[in-house]
Amino acid sequence: MTDNAKNRLEKLKVEIRRHERLYYVEDNPEISDVEFDALMRELITLEKDNPSLATADSPAQRVGGAPASTLATVTHNINAPMLSLDNAYSDEELEKFHERVMKNLGDENFEYAVEPKLDGLGASLIYENGVLVTGATRGDGVTGEDVTANVKTIKTVPLKVDAPKGMERFEVRGEVYMPRSAFERLNSEREAEGGNLFANPRNASAGSLRLLDSSITALRSLEMVVYTLIVTDSTGKSKLIPGADSHHTAMELLRALGFKTPDVEVVQNMAEVEKVIASYDKKRETLGYDIDGMVIKVDSFRQRNELGSTSKFPRWAIAFKYPAQQVTTKLLSIETQVGRTGAITPVANLTPVTVGGSKVSRATLHNEDEIKRKDIRAGDTVLIEKGGEVIPKVVKVITSKRTGSEKKFVMPQKCPACGADIFRPEGEAVARCSGSACPAQLKEKLKHFTARTAMDIDNVGPALIDQLLEKKLIHDPADLYYIGHQDVMRLERMADKSAKNVIDSIEKSKTQPLDKVLFAMGIRYVGARVAKVLAQNFADIDKLMTATPDTLENIHEIGPRVAKSVSVFFSQKANRDLVEKLRHAGVNLKAGDMKVSQTLAGKQFVLTGTLQTMTRLEAKTKIESQGARVTSAVTKKTDYLVEGADPGSKSKKAKELGVTILDEAAFLKMAG
Ligand code: IVH
């Protein structure tokens, strides 16, 4: 390789590291995502062409590597096991801790550092000469698991730092966690596939950090905040930290090196500690990640040493745990909401209560059967729980509080929005409004149409949609393309500039690819993935509209349910009119080039049973990204059956037909 290319590679690494830090740690990017991606792609290509120069600290490593068969064990520094924290559940218990600290430090003055207790998984990172060499889970505190490849995929973990003199070897410890938005995305993906859901972001982060295949971890958007720095000599003995004699100064040092650290508040007394605790209790719902308490630590390292530790906990720190996010309240009434497809969802109106810092007055009840199963009645006292989701759920009824005046829920027979009949098809859990011109359905359809994942019309939000409907400016999604600047100007609080933004973003959406248009139309059973498959198989919407159910079913991944739904959708005049209106407005209805790369090209896979390390969608994506297909049934044409836990009848069929069966590890090896 030329010196030029070598220099370029080194420069790229430094640049990318700097931008990663600006973006992920400091939240202050200097370049756009597109520019960043271009730098990363350049680095990946250079490393691919010159494998000898692909070092362990390269940012390109973050995409994840080949899967391991099991996680190896790592012994933590024997001089410094990873301890846990003693807990306090009340101000009294905190006071007791404070008195113990005062007593043990004699009459000396001291300060506390107070910071959030993140609800994730404890982990350790070891750096040698500035390079991340080992990442491990806390495990039992003495031994953990080697998750080096996985921690490298976490964007807030620097792979290389400019360590100051005296820090040739150091360890940082912290918490790996999953932000709520990533948790919700992951669970909705799993739900769509009928897979098991993670109970909370903590379980999801633990599951994701301990995966055997780091390329899947890379998709899980984990983060890490570090709260301990240990500098050691070559024998592993702790040394003084250069330039830091307290927790808050050590955190400043780590921040300067590019780590993400907690927001530390240094305070002088217990009253101030309690103030910080109360202020976080108020804002913790808005943090974007779960915290289950606050950690109160003696700030000075010298004083920490004096206090020492028991075999389990340091005597210089305590965790204050917030009370559980469950409360009881009165369920006042049950009303019904109408969704985009006419689905009727019962919702509980509650006497407002505060759960985990936020006021709650509504809870979802899912469907009629759920209400029956939990025997939820209007007037009941109920236990509600606020998890990672925005809207809380009813856990159970406190039946001992019943007075006899509670009313059972009856699904209304008429739609609350349009008065049309409500029907519940046999075998389905969901009741639906049959109205073809239901205003509630239309509003939800428009919200779906304009969503980021569909036509991506970012200046047309729910409030604007309400106004457009109210002023009768639109009657279906295609009408959006026919409103003018003057129409928008007439709406409330619309200045010339914002009206222009609305029109511009509608205009821009006309070039969305065909799969987004198909998804935006809201055809039943056509989610983002199915829409993509359809767009890959038809040159334009006209070919799709005239396809028979048989033709559609011949496409891999399209089953009879989708095939029928698509052809019924396009057989309806209203929907064909919608297409014509979109066409007339100049919306793109042609498929672009949607070809995939071709490594396992042409092979057919079937998935069965529950996969431990990834969702079905993730497995499917992995397979398809290499030019292979996933089908639902085992046939003579099937090349591989990937078998998870509790496989169904597909395994038997595969054996009968002599299809190769791969367990999860073998599959990962092949597709990795
Ligand atoms: S300090 C020796 N600070 O909570 C004490 N721990 O329940 C080391 N945790 O094992 C821990 N946020 O995994 C500390 N800001 C924070 C924390 C934190 C979360 C976890 C950590 C610890 C567990 C104890």
Side-chain angles (χ1 to χ4, degrees):
M1 109 174 287
T2 64
D3 275 356
N4 253 352
K6 198 168 172 179
N7 287 343
R8 177 68 191 147
L9 200 139
E10 284 311 315
K11 272 220 182 82
L12 271 173
K13 287 205 266 189
V14 174
E15 261 309 90
I16 291 176
R17 267 184 218 125
R18 191 172 77 82
H19 288 302
E20 279 186 336
R21 177 171 164 184
L22 285 168
Y23 185 92
Y24 293 108
V25 181
E26 294 176 19
D27 209 9
N28 184 24
E30 272 176 13
I31 57 173
S32 69
D33 292 1
V34 178
E35 288 165 308
F36 180 83
D37 286 347
L39 291 178
M40 187 62 113
R41 266 201 308 275
E42 191 184 342
L43 178 65
I44 291 173
T45 313
L46 270 175
E47 288 191 358
K48 222 168 160 184
D49 294 345
N50 306 281
S52 63
L53 291 168
T55 54
D57 63 351
S58 164
Q61 297 267 321
R62 292 202 195 279
V63 290
S69 50
T70 54
L71 293 173
T73 304
V74 170
T75 306
H76 297 302
N77 187 336
I78 44 164
N79 304 307
M82 290 183 76
L83 299 181
S84 183
L85 290 169
D86 202 0
N87 293 320
Y89 294 94
S90 64
D91 290 351
E92 289 71 50
E93 288 177 16
L94 268 186
E95 286 294 342
K96 277 196 191 133
F97 162 77
H98 181 54
E99 274 159 27
R100 274 199 308 272
V101 173
M102 283 197 300
K103 191 170 146 228
N104 287 332
L105 287 179
D107 276 339
E108 239 182 11
N109 280 337
F110 66 94
E111 289 176 322
Y112 284 122
V114 188
E115 67 196 28
K117 181 172 187 304
L118 289 130
D119 203 6
L121 183 72
S124 139
L125 307 173
I126 293 175
Y127 288 79
E128 280 173 7
N129 299 318
V131 177
L132 170 64
V133 289
T134 307
T137 61
R138 173 176 178 269
D140 63 6
V142 177
T143 50
E145 286 159 319
D146 186 338
V147 286
T148 311
N150 294 349
V151 294
K152 280 185 177 173
T153 69
I154 302 175
K155 306 285 200 313
T156 37
V157 168
L159 304 181
K160 185 172 187 204
V161 298
D162 275 332
K165 207 168 158 1
M167 275 181 65
E168 285 70 29
R169 203 189 142 82
F170 69 90
E171 176 181 356
V172 291
R173 293 173 178 179
E175 204 77 356
V176 172
Y177 62 97
M178 186 178 282
R180 284 183 191 152
S181 54
F183 167 70
E184 274 156 32
R185 206 173 48 233
L186 177 64
N187 256 1
S188 58
E189 241 175 69
R190 292 168 86 93
E191 192 171 21
E193 298 167 356
N196 289 338
L197 300 191
F198 284 115
N200 49 48
R202 174 167 31 84
N203 291 3
S205 59
S208 304
L209 184 64
R210 301 177 59 251
L211 287 168
L212 296 177
D213 185 346
S214 58
S215 67
I216 307 246
T217 308
L219 302 172
R220 297 278 173 93
S221 307
L222 294 175
E223 303 227 348
M224 182 168 184
V225 154
V226 299
Y227 41 68
T228 299
L229 168 62
I230 302 169
V231 180
T232 54
D233 63 18
S234 57
T235 68
K237 272 224 323 266
S238 297
K239 298 199 310 190
L240 287 179
I241 300 172
D245 59 1
S246 64
H247 181 61
H248 81 274
T249 48
M251 293 302 106
E252 277 165 16
L253 170 62
L254 286 178
R255 223 166 290 146
L257 292 180
F259 290 94
K260 187 166 177 153
T261 56
D263 287 332
V264 185
E265 292 198 36
V266 180
V267 300
Q268 322 289 327
N269 55 49
M270 263 297 136
E272 288 178 28
V273 166
E274 280 159 24
K275 253 196 218 151
V276 182
I277 290 176
S279 83
Y280 267 91
D281 197 5
K282 267 211 191 103
K283 69 180 177 200
R284 70 186 175 120
E285 276 310 300
T286 60
L287 291 175
Y289 49 85
D290 282 0
I291 65 172
D292 61 340
M294 297 294 287
V295 189
I296 297 99
K297 305 171 173 179
V298 170
D299 193 36
S300 146
F301 288 155
R302 182 184 58 77
Q303 289 173 327
R304 284 188 183 186
N305 270 340
E306 268 170 47
L307 291 161
S309 305
T310 69
S311 62
K312 284 196 198 136
F313 316 120
R315 289 198 193 87
W316 45 261
I318 196 154
F320 177 85
K321 289 287 193 78
Y322 288 115
Q325 309 223 70
Q326 283 190 341
V327 288
T328 56
T329 187
K330 188 102 177 223
L331 190 154
L332 302 170
S333 61
I334 300 177
E335 62 175 44
T336 45
Q337 274 181 353
V338 191
R340 164 169 72 86
T341 59
I344 308 280
T345 310
V347 176
N349 287 313
L350 309 166
T351 300
V353 273
T354 304
V355 200
S358 67
K359 259 251 163 66
V360 158
S361 57
R362 285 158 83 76
T364 173
L365 297 172
H366 303 289
N367 56 49
E368 212 176 347
D369 292 349
E370 168 97 351
I371 297 177
K372 278 213 184 97
R373 194 168 57 76
K374 292 184 177 163
D375 189 19
I376 299 168
R377 305 179 191 180
D380 266 335
T381 299
V382 289
L383 180 70
I384 61 162
E385 181 179 88
K386 189 129 167 43
E389 315 76 31
V390 182
I391 183 156
K393 61 178 181 211
V394 173
V395 179
K396 62 173 184 182
V397 172
I398 316 290
T399 40
S400 60
K401 293 268 173 79
R402 282 218 166 124
T403 62
S405 63
E406 294 77 15
K407 285 204 187 71
K408 282 197 178 174
F409 172 72
V410 187
M411 182 58 84
Q413 295 188 335
K414 304 279 181 203
C415 170
C418 72
D421 286 345
I422 288 179
F423 67 102
R424 182 172 162 190
E426 246 192 62
E428 288 192 20
V430 177
R432 286 177 198 279
C433 156
S434 61
S436 57
C438 175
Q441 281 186 49
L442 178 56
K443 183 177 167 193
E444 295 305 314
K445 275 193 182 112
L446 281 158
K447 282 206 267 182
H448 173 75
F449 188 84
T450 53
R452 198 176 44 80
T453 46
M455 297 307 278
D456 193 17
I457 310 182
D458 57 0
N459 286 302
V460 180
L464 192 78
I465 290 173
D466 271 347
Q467 286 200 59
L468 292 168
L469 286 172
E470 221 171 83
K471 295 257 158 34
K472 302 215 177 337
L473 287 168
I474 53 175
H475 304 91
D476 65 38
D479 282 342
L480 281 171
Y481 295 102
Y482 294 87
I483 51 176
H485 186 87
Q486 287 308 318
D487 297 326
V488 182
M489 280 291 287
R490 284 212 306 273
L491 303 176
E492 276 163 42
R493 286 190 291 275
M494 248 324 146
D496 196 47
K497 177 86 179 21
S498 28
K500 183 174 180 309
N501 289 342
V502 168
I503 298 293
D504 284 353
S505 62
I506 293 174
E507 188 62 29
K508 197 174 123 226
S509 74
K510 289 181 182 173
T511 57
Q512 283 288 84
L514 180 61
D515 65 305
K516 302 282 184 198
V517 182
L518 292 174
F519 176 60
M521 285 180 169
I523 308 167
R524 210 155 164 217
Y525 306 126
V526 178
R529 174 73 205 147
V530 170
K532 208 160 215 156
V533 174
L534 292 174
Q536 276 169 351
N537 281 277
F538 294 91
D540 55 40
I541 204 162
D542 299 291
K543 301 232 162 45
L544 173 64
M545 282 167 78
T546 50
T548 62
D550 278 351
T551 312
L552 287 163
E553 254 191 78
N554 274 338
I555 301 170
H556 293 283
E557 285 198 52
I558 305 291
R561 197 176 63 155
V562 174
K564 186 161 171 230
S565 171
V566 171
S567 68
V568 166
F569 183 89
F570 288 117
S571 71
Q572 287 169 353
K573 184 169 179 310
N575 296 327
R576 284 205 309 271
D577 290 348
L578 179 77
V579 172
E580 289 321 310
K581 251 165 115 174
L582 291 173
R583 191 197 313 273
H584 188 251
V587 173
N588 167 53
L589 300 173
K590 288 191 172 31
D593 188 11
M594 298 189 78
K595 289 205 178 71
V596 285
S597 73
Q598 304 286 315
T599 321
L600 286 176
K603 298 281 184 244
Q604 272 196 29
F605 283 77
V606 173
L607 304 170
T608 185
T610 312
L611 298 174
Q612 306 296 314
T613 64
M614 65 187 99
T615 66
R616 284 242 178 139
L617 188 64
E618 285 164 344
K620 232 170 155 187
T621 310
K622 215 170 174 47
I623 293 167
E624 286 170 353
S625 67
Q626 307 191 32
R629 283 191 302 254
V630 179
T631 60
S632 53
V634 176
T635 66
K636 278 188 304 223
K637 287 196 210 146
T638 309
D639 295 294
Y640 301 104
L641 177 76
V642 180
E643 195 180 71
D646 302 323
S649 57
K650 288 179 192 169
S651 292
K652 197 167 152 246
K653 186 86 190 275
K655 276 184 201 129
E656 280 167 18
L657 294 173
V659 170
T660 310
I661 299 182
L662 303 172
D663 63 15
E664 198 163 337
F667 164 64
L668 287 174
K669 212 164 175 187
M670 173 184 271

